[in-house]
Amino acid sequence: MNSFKNIKPRTLIKLSIVLSILIFFSINIITNNMLASSRIDFTENKLYSLSDGTKSLLKNLNEPIHIRLFISSNLVKDVPQLSTYANRVQTMLKTYRNISDGNITLEIIDPKPFSDAEDRAVGMGINSFNATEMSDALYFGLAATNSTTGQKNIPIFSPERETFLEYDLSSLISELSQINKPVISVIDNLGLKADSRIGKPEQQILTQMKQLFQVEMVNESVNTLNKATKVLMIIHPKYLSDETLYMIDQWVLKGGPTLIFLDPYAETEVSRQQGVPPINPRSNLKKLLNTWGIDFDDKKAVLDAEYGFRISRDINGRDIQVTNYPWLNIRGDGLKQNESSLSNLSTIVMTTAGSFVSNNEKIMLEPIITSSIKSGLGEAQKAGNPKGDPRDLLSDIKAKDQKHILSGWIKSDLKTSFQNFKKSNDTEQLMKSTNKSNILLVSDADMLMDRNWLTQRGAFANNGDFVLNVVEKMIGGNILSDLRGKGTSWRPFEKIISLEKIAEQKFQLQEQMLAKKLKGMEDKIRTLTQNNQNESDILSPETLKAIEGFKSEMMSTRSQLRTVKFDLRRDVETLKKWIISINVAILPIFFASIALLISLKRRRKKSY
């Protein structure tokens, strides 16, 4: 202790800095080597924690799976920004192997240039890339096989998919562990398949379903289902014959899992005739719904002041930020918390969705997705007009504190909708349920299309996750459900959105009135100019005086309109500035406060 007292303060400070640096690097080296597979996850949706679904999948594997990780030894040196990701991939795969009780074997291969390992990587579908034009090919991908002929690849581990790493790996293993995939029969009148006529690709929900299940597209004129069908999915039904409806009726009475998407105005429906818009883009299953005790008004859409999207729309030649009340960003209380198919999901997007009402006390409709209490019903065709002013729909939202059911389960004993139906085969007709029904009704079909939940940068809503979770639940397992929904890129500022909507409702009438007045004066000036009675090109003094009067009034009106728009944005901009200030200043203030407290404490000690 005496030796420390003899050291000069400046020397002591220098020694402290050197020791701090040594301790910092020592801790990092120790934790990197000893705690590589351990991590504390502070992310909102636990992006980096191994889920219970993955653990269950790995512990219950009945099929041996061999994983080959192709990773070039020069990867970290040539592309140092991939070092953390590469380490995480290897650590994750080792964890999978350890949990699987020997059912997963891991082989790490370095595919050096012109080697047999490189030929093997290329042969198994692994993609190469170059750090520079002159560098050798690099590999960072995975190929996995089961005991038969099954093979699944991740051709290259893209940094953009890092948040989805656990889902991608678990999904791949789940596929390989299923020698016979469950059959999903789909009746689709919306257009999920690729359409080369209009350059539309296959929708991602259908692509994902094909990865996990054997998907069979059922023609609406077909009256029988594959005997191996596990789930029947009916999308936007419009032209179903009685024979097809009878097939659905009998399937439901057997307790067959059924997922139905209806729509009062399908904005994304692909027309059967090229160049011609879809005729009557509404769907319904009235004959079956009536028997099930469910009302669905195919001419009314749900409008929601709380869940409505903020969009930019050209209205009267001006690009205006408005709330589009029929486009719903459903979150929070709108998603039933204890519904397993919605677990870990943060938002569902629906556009011009309808609603369901139960009118039979004996048949229970269990809501799982609902509108907010600030919602109402409006004309679906008007709501779906892409050129209309959404603010004109606000009057249809009447404050009744009533939530509208957007999706719900029917799990009851049902009766047939066909009392006297002439069958085309000798099978015995079921008149009532032999098993409780397993039906999920969804009031929007557009939610299945990519535009409602997906961009090139990734998912901004959980529509795809929701559909896959429901299908898995109907089959009898939700192994991957708690992995889905972790990677959505959209995290809106709820308070800012709320302020924008309040301001819009407060000032919209005044803004619309001023805009209408301004347009009227512009029209009057145009009319005076065009109707000049003077034969020469020079306007008459009376006309010039009238025009000057209108221009003066126009300037005043524009000033008022700018003031209204400023007032509309003021609270929002103030909140944004506060958020930025807090984010920028909070850490410096925090550490400065600690330093100040330490300094004051030392001064007090010296004073004693």
Side-chain angles (χ1 to χ4, degrees):
M1 291 296 291
N2 292 329
S3 59
F4 276 106
K5 290 180 180 178
N6 296 328
I7 299 174
K8 293 180 179 179
R10 287 187 178 180
T11 307
L12 192 60
I13 290 171
K14 290 178 181 178
L15 283 172
S16 299
I17 292 171
V18 171
L19 285 171
S20 297
I21 293 170
L22 287 172
I23 292 169
F24 174 78
F25 281 106
S26 298
I27 291 172
N28 272 277
I29 292 169
I30 292 168
T31 54
N32 189 53
N33 286 279
M34 297 182 64
L35 304 173
S37 60
S38 302
R39 51 187 178 267
I40 300 173
D41 191 349
F42 292 107
T43 57
E44 180 184 358
N45 289 324
K46 303 299 179 185
L47 300 183
Y48 300 99
S49 299
L50 208 61
S51 70
D52 292 337
T54 292
K55 293 175 184 176
S56 175
L57 171 67
L58 297 174
K59 289 177 181 178
N60 294 289
L61 283 176
N62 296 317
E63 177 73 8
I65 295 171
H66 186 59
I67 296 176
R68 301 165 183 84
L69 175 64
F70 293 92
I71 181 168
S72 299
S73 55
N74 290 332
L75 180 70
V76 174
K77 183 181 74 174
D78 293 347
V79 194
Q81 60 266 35
L82 286 178
S83 59
T84 303
Y85 190 22
N87 182 60
R88 184 179 173 219
V89 169
Q90 292 186 68
T91 301
M92 185 81 81
L93 289 173
K94 289 175 182 177
T95 304
Y96 274 52
R97 178 192 61 191
N98 296 339
I99 294 176
S100 70
D101 295 329
N103 283 312
I104 289 179
T105 52
L106 175 63
E107 183 181 1
I108 299 176
I109 303 167
D110 177 12
K112 293 182 178 178
F114 310 108
S115 65
D116 291 339
E118 183 179 35
D119 293 339
R120 192 177 175 194
V122 173
M124 299 197 79
I126 306 302
N127 295 340
S128 65
F129 62 98
N130 299 86
T132 64
E133 291 183 4
M134 302 300 293
S135 66
D136 292 325
L138 297 173
Y139 294 87
F140 184 29
L142 175 151
T145 54
N146 59 17
S147 61
T148 55
T149 58
Q151 178 180 324
K152 292 292 177 183
N153 293 359
I154 298 178
I156 185 169
F157 283 101
S158 170
E160 287 78 16
R161 293 286 302 176
E162 185 173 2
T163 56
F164 298 92
L165 178 61
E166 186 184 355
Y167 175 76
D168 288 342
L169 292 175
S170 297
S171 176
L172 179 145
I173 290 169
S174 177
E175 289 180 61
L176 287 174
S177 67
Q178 298 176 23
I179 298 175
N180 296 315
K181 292 183 178 180
V183 176
I184 311 299
S185 294
V186 180
I187 300 174
D188 175 26
N189 198 60
L190 186 66
L192 298 188
K193 293 192 295 185
D195 192 333
S196 58
R197 299 175 305 161
I198 56 176
K200 182 180 73 65
E202 181 176 85
Q203 299 301 286
Q204 190 62 28
I205 281 179
L206 183 57
T207 302
Q208 291 181 349
M209 286 176 59
K210 287 180 177 178
Q211 292 173 355
L212 296 172
F213 317 114
Q214 180 183 330
V215 178
E216 290 198 5
M217 306 304 291
V218 180
N219 190 293
E220 57 193 29
S221 62
V222 173
N223 304 321
T224 57
L225 294 175
N226 185 322
K227 291 183 179 179
T229 297
K230 296 294 185 182
V231 176
L232 173 61
M233 184 182 295
I234 305 167
I235 303 169
H236 195 43
K238 293 173 65 174
Y239 308 114
L240 303 186
S241 64
D242 278 352
E243 287 76 13
T244 304
L245 291 173
Y246 175 77
M247 174 192 74
I248 298 170
D249 173 86
Q250 294 296 290
W251 167 263
V252 166
L253 294 179
K254 293 175 186 175
T258 311
L259 178 54
I260 302 173
F261 295 87
L262 301 176
D263 205 311
Y265 192 91
E267 301 170 9
T268 59
E269 180 185 340
V270 178
S271 177
R272 299 190 176 195
Q273 294 183 336
Q274 190 174 1
V276 179
I279 300 172
N280 186 23
R282 299 194 295 266
S283 55
N284 210 327
L285 278 177
K286 196 169 183 64
K287 189 160 189 172
L288 299 180
L289 292 181
N290 286 346
T291 308
W292 302 344
I294 304 296
D295 289 332
F296 177 77
D297 190 338
D298 60 6
K299 295 181 181 178
K300 295 288 185 181
V302 174
L303 314 172
D304 201 314
E306 182 175 341
Y307 294 155
F309 257 103
R310 293 286 295 176
I311 65 167
S312 179
R313 178 166 287 183
D314 186 340
I315 299 172
N316 295 326
R318 293 181 177 84
D319 197 34
I320 299 175
Q321 289 283 330
V322 293
T323 301
N324 195 13
Y325 302 106
W327 286 16
L328 312 180
N329 168 31
I330 307 152
R331 57 203 184 277
D333 292 339
L335 306 177
K336 188 176 181 182
Q337 298 301 311
N338 59 355
E339 167 59 37
S340 60
S341 58
L342 292 169
S343 63
N344 291 326
L345 307 191
S346 57
T347 182
I348 299 291
V349 170
M350 294 185 178
T351 51
T352 54
S355 63
F356 300 105
V357 178
S358 176
N359 59 31
N360 188 332
E361 294 180 356
K362 295 181 180 179
I363 298 175
M364 183 178 175
L365 176 64
E366 179 189 344
I368 62 168
I369 302 178
T370 61
S371 67
S372 77
I373 58 174
K374 300 176 182 178
S375 62
L377 298 176
E379 185 183 339
Q381 189 167 358
K382 183 179 177 182
N385 181 7
K387 297 181 180 180
D389 188 343
R391 294 173 297 183
D392 294 339
L393 302 169
L394 189 58
S395 60
D396 292 322
I397 303 176
K398 298 175 182 176
K400 293 183 178 179
D401 291 343
Q402 178 185 356
K403 293 185 176 184
H404 296 275
I405 300 174
L406 302 169
S407 180
W409 290 100
I410 303 176
K411 295 184 177 181
S412 301
D413 292 319
L414 304 175
K415 294 180 180 178
T416 183
S417 300
F418 297 86
Q419 295 297 329
N420 300 300
F421 187 74
K422 293 182 180 179
K423 303 182 293 296
S424 58
N425 52 47
D426 296 329
T427 57
E428 183 179 351
Q429 179 182 355
L430 296 176
M431 303 305 292
K432 61 181 182 179
S433 294
T434 56
N435 292 295
K436 281 186 182 280
S437 64
N438 187 10
I439 305 166
L440 182 66
L441 298 175
V442 183
S443 64
D444 180 47
D446 294 314
M447 70 166 295
L448 299 171
M449 304 298 273
D450 288 355
R451 69 137 203 189
N452 273 42
W453 66 284
L454 197 63
T455 66
Q456 291 182 343
R457 292 181 295 176
F460 61 86
N462 302 118
N463 296 19
D465 304 324
F466 169 63
V467 173
L468 293 177
N469 285 352
V470 169
V471 173
E472 278 187 349
K473 179 176 181 176
M474 287 179 163
I475 292 171
N478 284 64
I479 290 174
L480 298 177
S481 64
D482 59 351
L483 289 177
R484 301 193 181 104
K486 290 187 175 184
T488 52
S489 58
W490 190 33
R491 291 291 185 271
F493 290 106
E494 301 286 352
K495 183 63 177 176
I496 289 177
I497 291 173
S498 177
L499 277 175
E500 285 177 334
K501 290 177 179 177
I502 292 169
E504 178 186 303
Q505 292 173 28
K506 183 178 178 181
F507 295 109
Q508 69 158 342
L509 291 176
Q510 190 178 357
E511 183 188 355
Q512 283 179 304
M513 182 185 70
L514 290 171
K516 187 177 179 180
K517 182 179 177 181
L518 187 61
K519 188 175 183 300
M521 284 184 288
E522 289 172 347
D523 291 341
K524 286 180 180 179
I525 291 174
R526 195 179 302 110
T527 302
L528 285 171
T529 306
Q530 292 172 351
N531 295 340
N532 178 35
Q533 299 297 320
N534 198 328
E535 292 180 359
S536 67
D537 292 335
I538 301 173
L539 297 174
S540 66
E542 292 81 6
T543 303
L544 286 172
K545 187 177 180 181
I547 289 174
E548 285 302 319
F550 283 129
K551 282 184 177 179
S552 176
E553 195 173 352
M554 275 177 60
M555 295 295 289
S556 174
T557 303
R558 282 178 176 165
S559 177
Q560 292 178 56
L561 190 56
R562 281 194 297 271
T563 302
V564 169
K565 289 184 175 180
F566 174 78
D567 289 341
L568 192 150
R569 296 294 303 171
R570 182 177 53 202
D571 290 344
V572 175
E573 293 302 327
T574 301
L575 182 61
K576 285 182 179 178
K577 287 176 182 177
W578 270 107
I579 290 172
I580 292 170
S581 300
I582 290 170
N583 276 285
V584 170
I586 192 166
L587 281 177
I589 291 171
F590 176 74
F591 286 113
S593 301
I594 291 176
L596 181 62
L597 288 171
I598 293 171
S599 176
L600 290 172
K601 194 172 182 181
R602 285 180 175 177
R603 285 185 180 181
R604 286 179 182 175
K605 284 184 178 180
K606 286 182 180 180
S607 65
Y608 290 127

